[in-house]
């Protein structure tokens, strides 16, 4: 293979995407295939998915030749790229035909050797193509050379009748080539527009989501002829499977429960998941929740997550004088869920709209912020948010690292606390206007609250009957002019459920004291204790129902 791909068993949760991409081989046969833009955040698994696709195409079908190419930043010149592209294509083609993987690995083959290989393999079409290419090379016309290389897959189809599926990773790097006289050839990549439209040589292009979006939709209209597939994060249960799979391959054991909050934080991004587990590996065997959180905070303040994002920031903001304000802007965006208009930001941070535009463009290219039509927001990525918060604390507020960690840990505990609170007896308060059928609102609220507290349906029914009974007893026969409100409190506790009602008036229709309620009334049957108290403006009635263990449903 032109790369090392994961073993099939280690490639988790992308069957559906893989199958639908694999379908392209039958489409290409029928002449209906279209080129594809596979988009998705960094680390989401685009490259891995395409590697897996290549393996399938290589081993499982004979209809089309798969060609996998990663645009290598080391090939900065048009000449080097073109040579490399042609070379790899022909080798992969011959390798597929002969099922001889070693041909793929024969890197560094010179054009002469390649020619020799083609001749030896009786691949006359390839001999012609190489010959043609060498001729174009002598003309020193960069565009011609480039086009000749990228058109080779279609060219080969025309002579052999064998369609080709071209997979190009890091496609955005095709923007960075230089020509023979070091003139900039930044626009040569646009020539791909010509070659991706052939249905017998469809291209699957991937790489940096934001840069490609810009290349395909803003700089050219290539996007219009591309099918768009967006790879999103894997879901939570698949994430947990991936955690387990990585734990197994690295030989560490961590309780699945403990990993659950991280599955949420990493938002289905395999890159984060993999790196986290890799780092955990160095921490020893029996890891506690605190160990995991420590590793996480190290990761975002000094570790790999930090390094990855900070290098993006540094790379994209070379102007030192803009870095501080950029960080302040990012920090500001961290705390906002909604989008912000750039003009507001310029005012807020006292920078010119031009500088702001620069910053915004840069961050957009780096995939750090998302620009809507007229407003912008931070990319939804909790790791990025936390890295920015850490960095801001360190560089703008001058807090030492351990302080930052403390603060972040506290934040985590606050999040954990809200979790714990629901375990403490909660209290639900509602206000209902004194209107006809007010009891229906009360009944509905009671039902929702009791359900949320896992009270059994039978008990909920009894509480509701009691509440209706109570309302018929306390609703005024004739409405007074001042209608007022009923104040209700529901207090579900471990062993009892209390309902408190305050009326906006003092004269209850028929309820003078709890003892006055006849025994045969349902409220007496279902409620264990009834209390009446006079308040300043009305009457407070407190109903308490004992909950037997079995009345709390286990679900
Ligand atoms: N479905 C998957 N199962 C297991 N590992 C995966 C999966 N998808 C991605 N990975 C791993 O996660 C890391 C990031 O994936 P990669 O394909 O490089 O992301 P992208 O190309 O979108 O930036 C790689 O190490 C890759 O092997
Ligand atoms: Mg990639």
């Amino acid at each position: 293979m032109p790369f090392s791909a994961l073993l099939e068993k280690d490639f988790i949760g992308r069957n559906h995407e893989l199958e639908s991409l694999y379908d392209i081989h039958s489409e290409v046969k029928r002449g209906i295939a279209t080129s594809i833009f596979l988009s998705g955040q960094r680390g989401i698994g685009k490259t891995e998915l395409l590697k897996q696709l290549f393996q399938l195409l290589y081993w499982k079908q004979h209809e089309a030749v798969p060609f996998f190419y990663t645009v290598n930043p080391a090939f900065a010149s048009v000449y080097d790229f073109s040579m490399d592209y042609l070379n790899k294509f022909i080798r992969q083609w011959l390798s597929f035909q002969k099922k001889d993987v070693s041909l793929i690995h024969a890197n560094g083959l010179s054009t002469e050797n390649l020619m020799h290989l083609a001749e030896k393999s009786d691949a006359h079409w390839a001999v012609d193509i190489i010959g043609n290419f060498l001729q174009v090379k002598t003309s020193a016309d960069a565009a011609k050379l480039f086009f000749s290389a990228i058109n080779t897959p279609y060219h080969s189809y025309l002579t052999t009748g064998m369609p080709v599926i071209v997979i190009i990773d890091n496609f955005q790097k095709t923007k960075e080539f230089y020509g023979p006289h070091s003139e900039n050839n930044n626009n040569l990549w646009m020539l791909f527009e010509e070659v991706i439209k052939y249905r017998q040589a469809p291209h699957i292009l991937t790489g940096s989501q934001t840069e490609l979006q810009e290349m395909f939709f803003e700089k050219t209209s290539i996007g219009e002829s591309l099918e768009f597939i967006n790879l999103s994060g894997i879901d939570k249960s698949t994430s947990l499977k991936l955690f387990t799979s990585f734990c197994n391959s690295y030989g560490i054991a961590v309780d699945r429960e403990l990993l659950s909050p991280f599955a949420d934080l990493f938002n289905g991004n395999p890159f984060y998941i993999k790196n986290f587990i890799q780092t955990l590996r160095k921490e020893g065997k029996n890891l506690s929740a605190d160990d995991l959180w420590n590793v996480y905070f190290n990761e975002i303040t000094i570790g790999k997550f930090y390094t990855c994002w900070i290098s993006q920031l540094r790379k994209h903001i070379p102007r030192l004088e803009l870095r501080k304000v950029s960080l302040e802007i990012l920090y500001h965006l961290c705390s906002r869920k909604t989008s912000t208009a750039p003009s507001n930001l310029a005012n807020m941070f006292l920078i010119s709209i031009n500088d702001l535009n620069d910053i915004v463009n840069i961050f957009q290219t780096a995939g750090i912020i998302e620009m809507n039509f007229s407003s912008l927001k931070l990319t939804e990525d909790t790791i990025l948010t936390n890295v920015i918060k850490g960095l801001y604390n360190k560089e703008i507020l001058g807090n030492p690292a351990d302080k930052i960690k403390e603060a972040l840990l506290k934040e985590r505990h606050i999040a954990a606390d809200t979790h714990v609170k629901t375990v403490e007896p909660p209290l639900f308060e509602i206000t209902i206007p004194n209107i006809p059928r007010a009891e229906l609102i009360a009944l509905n609220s009671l039902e929702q609250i009791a359900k949320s507290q896992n009270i059994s349906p039978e008990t909920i029914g009894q509480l509701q009957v009691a509440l209706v009974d109570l309302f018929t007893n306390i609703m005024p026969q004739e409405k007074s002019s001042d209608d007022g409100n009923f104040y209700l409190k529901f207090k579900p506790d471990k062993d009892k459920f209390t309902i408190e009602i305050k009326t906006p008036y003092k004269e209850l229709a028929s309820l003078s004291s709890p003892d006055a309620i006849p025994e045969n009334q349902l409220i007496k049957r279902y409620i264990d204790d009834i209390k009446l108290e006079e308040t300043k403006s009305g009457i407070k009635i407190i109903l308490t129902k004992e909950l037997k263990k079995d009345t709390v449903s286990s679900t």
Side-chain angles (χ1 to χ4, degrees):
M1 297 297 102
F3 42 72
S4 63
L6 289 174
L7 296 177
E8 201 179 323
K9 72 168 177 49
D10 295 328
F11 182 63
I12 312 273
R14 292 284 194 205
N15 285 343
H16 175 72
E17 290 87 347
L18 187 57
E19 272 166 27
S20 82
L21 282 170
Y22 181 63
D23 277 347
I24 200 167
H25 79 277
S26 67
E27 292 171 3
V28 94
K29 180 96 188 289
R30 289 181 282 147
I32 56 164
T34 32
S35 290
I36 294 170
F37 167 27
L38 178 70
S39 90
Q41 281 179 4
R42 206 195 317 270
I44 214 75
K46 303 178 294 295
T47 302
E48 191 61 50
L49 178 61
L50 293 184
K51 285 177 178 177
Q52 299 291 329
L53 173 67
F54 180 85
Q55 310 238 55
L56 276 189
L57 291 170
Y58 189 92
W59 295 113
K60 299 259 153 75
Q61 56 85 46
H62 312 283
E63 259 112 32
V65 182
F67 170 41
F68 187 101
Y69 190 79
T70 304
V71 185
N72 187 335
F75 295 120
S77 83
V78 176
Y79 173 76
D80 288 344
F81 166 83
S82 307
M83 282 291 294
D84 190 57
Y85 196 84
L86 178 83
N87 199 315
K88 288 198 170 126
F89 172 70
I90 290 178
R91 281 194 283 121
Q92 287 188 33
W93 199 103
L94 294 173
S95 161
F96 177 73
Q97 218 60 12
K98 302 180 182 187
K99 287 290 168 293
D100 175 357
V101 179
S102 72
L103 282 177
I104 298 185
H105 294 296
N107 272 326
L109 213 57
S110 70
T111 327
E112 287 69 32
N113 287 341
L114 187 69
M115 183 72 114
H116 189 64
L117 176 69
E119 280 165 354
K120 213 174 67 189
S121 313
D122 278 336
H124 303 296
W125 63 271
V127 174
D128 288 348
I129 286 179
I130 300 165
N132 184 44
F133 183 81
L134 290 173
Q135 220 167 8
V136 177
K137 197 179 111 184
T138 55
S139 74
D141 179 338
K144 240 180 165 175
L145 195 71
F146 184 81
F147 188 77
S148 152
I150 64 172
N151 198 36
T152 306
Y154 181 63
H155 201 152
S156 79
Y157 160 75
L158 288 179
T159 41
T160 66
M162 207 42 193
V164 181
I165 297 165
V166 182
I167 301 169
I168 306 184
D169 196 13
N170 287 345
F171 187 79
Q172 78 284 352
K173 300 227 161 88
T174 54
K175 275 191 312 195
E176 293 158 14
F177 295 139
Y178 284 83
H181 306 296
S182 73
E183 76 267 32
N184 201 330
N185 281 293
N186 282 354
N187 288 333
L188 281 186
W189 64 270
M190 291 182 188
L191 292 172
F192 267 99
E193 184 154 18
E194 195 58 32
V195 302
I196 59 157
K197 62 183 188 215
Y198 297 118
R199 300 194 177 271
Q200 293 81 8
H203 287 52
I204 304 175
L205 308 175
T206 195
S208 153
Q209 165 167 266
T210 35
E211 284 179 81
L212 292 183
Q213 262 168 21
E214 189 185 40
M215 287 162 80
F216 296 155
F217 293 95
E218 286 162 41
K219 296 225 169 100
T220 64
S221 50
I222 291 182
E224 284 169 23
S225 44
L226 291 173
E227 189 188 329
F228 195 88
I229 297 183
N230 185 48
L231 201 58
S232 40
I234 51 178
D235 63 30
K236 178 149 183 193
S237 72
T238 314
S239 292
L240 287 170
K241 265 192 219 144
L242 193 56
F243 270 117
T244 314
S245 161
F246 284 135
C247 284
N248 290 341
S249 11
Y250 297 134
I252 51 173
V254 187
D255 188 349
R256 204 177 149 99
E257 275 295 296
L258 297 183
L259 290 168
S260 174
F262 299 97
D264 294 329
L265 276 174
F266 298 156
N267 216 1
N269 185 311
F271 169 79
Y272 287 144
I273 297 176
K274 183 176 178 172
N275 278 298
F276 185 64
I277 302 290
Q278 267 177 341
T279 315
L280 281 187
R281 183 178 46 167
K282 298 171 205 125
E283 294 299 305
K285 289 263 178 249
N286 295 320
L287 299 170
S288 66
D290 278 346
D291 293 333
L292 301 194
W293 283 105
N294 265 322
V295 167
Y296 173 73
F297 289 119
N298 276 333
E299 276 299 280
I300 58 167
T301 47
I302 45 173
K304 189 148 178 189
F305 294 164
Y306 169 81
T307 313
C308 283
W309 279 115
I310 190 99
S311 59
Q312 280 296 317
L313 294 173
R314 273 201 222 112
K315 179 174 120 195
H316 285 93
I317 312 200
R319 277 170 64 191
L320 284 175
E321 77 277 15
L322 283 187
R323 283 193 182 162
K324 185 164 173 252
V325 69
S326 305
L327 181 56
E328 285 170 338
I329 291 174
L330 287 177
Y331 183 75
H332 170 79
L333 293 174
C334 275
S335 55
R336 299 178 67 90
K337 290 262 174 289
T338 50
S339 303
T340 311
S343 53
N344 289 350
L345 285 178
N347 291 337
M348 201 180 301
F349 292 98
L350 303 173
I351 54 170
S352 72
I353 194 83
N354 280 345
D355 277 349
L356 187 81
N357 275 336
D358 281 353
I359 295 177
V360 166
N361 283 336
I362 285 163
F363 281 153
Q364 212 191 337
T365 311
I368 290 167
I369 62 170
E370 284 165 15
M371 188 74 198
N372 304 326
F373 183 56
S374 66
S375 60
L376 54 92
K377 69 180 182 54
L378 206 67
T379 297
E380 263 170 52
D381 185 317
T382 317
I383 307 305
L384 169 64
T385 312
N386 282 337
V387 167
I388 293 171
K389 282 183 184 167
L391 195 61
Y392 181 86
N393 260 285
K394 183 158 84 186
E395 303 213 339
I396 309 283
L397 304 180
N399 285 328
D402 51 346
K403 259 239 167 102
I404 299 165
K405 193 158 161 186
E406 221 170 83
L408 284 164
L409 273 166
K410 213 173 181 178
E411 211 172 280
R412 167 217 151 192
H413 282 303
I414 292 167
D417 275 353
T418 49
H419 222 73
V420 173
K421 262 194 197 119
T422 58
V423 180
E424 284 167 12
L427 169 66
F428 301 89
E429 293 179 280
I430 42 174
T431 305
I432 302 176
N434 176 12
I435 48 167
R437 312 184 78 81
E439 75 275 16
L440 291 186
I441 305 174
L443 278 186
N444 201 11
S445 315
L446 168 64
E447 187 183 2
Q448 299 306 325
I449 291 162
K451 270 189 183 161
S452 76
Q453 300 301 309
N454 289 336
I455 307 289
S456 75
E458 191 196 350
T459 308
I460 296 178
Q462 293 176 354
L463 285 167
Q464 284 182 307
V465 169
L467 194 62
V468 173
D469 219 358
L470 180 75
F471 264 93
T472 34
N473 280 305
I474 62 171
M475 282 301 250
Q477 314 259 254
E478 280 169 38
K479 294 194 92 204
S480 60
S481 55
D482 179 17
D483 292 343
N485 291 316
F486 291 106
Y487 295 100
L488 279 78
K489 281 186 190 166
F490 296 102
K491 281 190 263 186
D493 203 347
K494 266 206 286 302
D495 47 6
K496 59 179 194 272
F497 195 110
T498 314
I499 305 175
E500 203 181 289
I501 302 173
K502 267 194 235 163
T503 61
Y505 45 75
K506 296 205 176 190
E507 298 76 36
L508 302 187
S510 57
L511 191 71
S512 49
S513 82
D515 296 338
I517 306 173
E519 286 301 321
N520 61 1
Q521 284 223 352
L522 289 170
I523 190 169
K524 274 258 162 116
R525 194 173 322 153
Y526 294 144
I527 294 297
D528 297 292
D529 184 46
I530 306 175
K531 277 201 183 71
L532 250 85
E533 284 167 24
E534 198 163 318
T535 68
K536 252 202 279 168
S537 55
I539 305 286
K540 180 156 89 178
I541 306 125
I542 304 163
L543 309 180
T544 307
K545 181 171 177 60
E546 312 279 343
L547 299 179
K548 293 174 208 82
K549 279 253 157 6
D550 58 355
T551 57
V552 180
S553 80
S554 55
T555 49

